[in-house]
Amino acid sequence: MLGKIFKKKPLALRIGDTAPDFKAETTTGDISFHEWIGSSYAMIFSHPKDFTPVCSTELSRTAALKPEFDKRNCKIIGLSVDSVSEHTSWESDIADVCDNFKGAPINFPLIADKDRKIAEMYGMIHPAELENLTIRSVFIIGPDKKIKLMMTYPASTGRNFNEILRALDSIRLTADHKVATPVDWKNGDDCIIVPNLDDIQAKELFPDGWNTLKPYLRLVSDPTKQDNK
Ligand code: BEZ
């Protein structure tokens, strides 16, 4: 083995890591990613290829949900290994068919990553699933530029962007309050007091009390309701 040269594999990104910064050409002009995010949240998501069926449905549906992302102060940007001119020409196809998928014409930028540099940086290339194309990756990035959520779907499975909005609600709530959100939680539902807060500390933050199901499972009403009182 001595003397053998190993090609260094890039380390996989993980939640909590700083999202790699990059410059890119997009359908709405050149961007510097971190600068583009600014003080917002951001969702960067990849699809395998322009002019493919599942991708057409996903992107048009995301466009229809853009007002929901806007409400949550979250910018959205797509990416694939296609060029800007391929993206823009595919966008007119999507506009033709979007009504069939509760969709809308594309209203957010698409990154042209022909040389796969950004896709490689973000681990969006999975050769065992799709050769040289990006699979369906989603990253939610915070205003602090840290990765808050990562999702990977196979090429054959269209994603549910309502689930991503739900997760974004949880991420935004738990960034500001010492709570976690239970299974199937949605905005306004009861939350869970984080386990590293003891009852004395919890009393300070949640003076209206909570429901102790187990010492480690304490349900509290949505803390934003108390903020709004
Ligand atoms: C699609 O979007 O339909 C698709 C793209 C690449 C591989 C499989 C399906």
Side-chain angles (χ1 to χ4, degrees):
M1 281 292 173
L2 256 183
K4 190 164 179 182
I5 298 171
F6 291 94
K7 197 173 169 214
K8 221 174 163 192
K9 250 180 115 183
L11 284 178
L13 290 174
R14 287 169 294 201
I15 287 180
D17 290 347
T18 298
D21 197 12
F22 56 83
K23 291 189 192 313
E25 214 188 329
T26 84
T27 47
T28 58
D30 292 352
I31 61 157
S32 215
F33 189 49
H34 282 194
E35 201 180 291
W36 176 82
I37 296 174
S39 57
S40 305
Y41 280 82
M43 174 176 77
I44 177 167
F45 69 119
S46 58
H47 63 274
K49 195 78 187 126
D50 292 356
F51 303 102
T52 56
V54 176
C55 303
S56 306
T57 65
E58 280 191 326
L59 269 75
S60 73
R61 183 72 191 127
T62 308
L65 290 173
K66 183 167 177 293
E68 293 299 321
F69 283 91
D70 291 343
K71 271 191 223 160
R72 291 160 175 85
N73 187 31
C74 184
K75 295 181 174 174
I76 52 186
I77 192 160
L79 177 148
S80 70
V81 298
D82 300 281
S83 65
V84 164
S85 64
E86 285 164 323
H87 284 332
T88 46
S89 131
W90 181 42
E91 282 182 4
S92 37
D93 279 7
I94 291 178
D96 291 342
V97 298
C98 61
D99 287 348
N100 295 282
F101 308 103
K102 292 196 274 176
I106 302 304
N107 50 11
F108 53 86
L110 295 178
I111 295 170
D113 190 30
K114 267 296 222 202
D115 58 8
R116 304 199 306 269
K117 278 209 177 107
I118 303 163
E120 297 278 5
M121 246 192 306
Y122 275 79
M124 293 166 166
I125 306 280
H126 293 225
E129 165 76 2
L130 269 185
E131 212 170 331
N132 293 330
L133 298 177
T134 44
I135 52 160
R136 301 186 196 283
S137 299
V138 182
F139 292 81
I140 299 280
I141 297 163
D144 58 1
K145 316 299 181 289
K146 302 256 191 248
I147 298 171
K148 307 295 179 189
L149 171 149
M150 298 167 63
M151 262 176 47
T152 307
Y153 269 47
S156 48
T157 305
R159 291 158 284 193
N160 181 330
F161 288 88
N162 280 309
E163 166 56 13
I164 295 165
L165 286 168
R166 190 192 73 85
L168 181 57
D169 284 338
S170 169
I171 289 164
R172 282 162 41 91
L173 176 72
T174 59
D176 292 337
H177 296 278
K178 297 247 180 247
V179 293
T181 60
V183 62
D184 293 341
W185 173 90
K186 55 187 181 339
N187 245 342
D189 287 354
D190 285 353
C191 301
I192 289 171
I193 299 175
V194 290
N196 63 359
L197 212 63
D198 66 28
D199 280 354
I200 295 163
Q201 294 164 313
K203 190 74 195 153
E204 297 245 320
L205 294 178
F206 308 107
D208 292 350
W210 56 85
N211 179 15
T212 303
L213 302 181
K214 292 282 177 191
Y216 55 84
L217 178 45
R218 296 164 295 175
L219 289 177
V220 69
S221 67
D222 176 347
T224 61
K225 289 181 185 161
Q226 299 200 9
D227 295 347
N228 298 334
K229 263 188 190 171

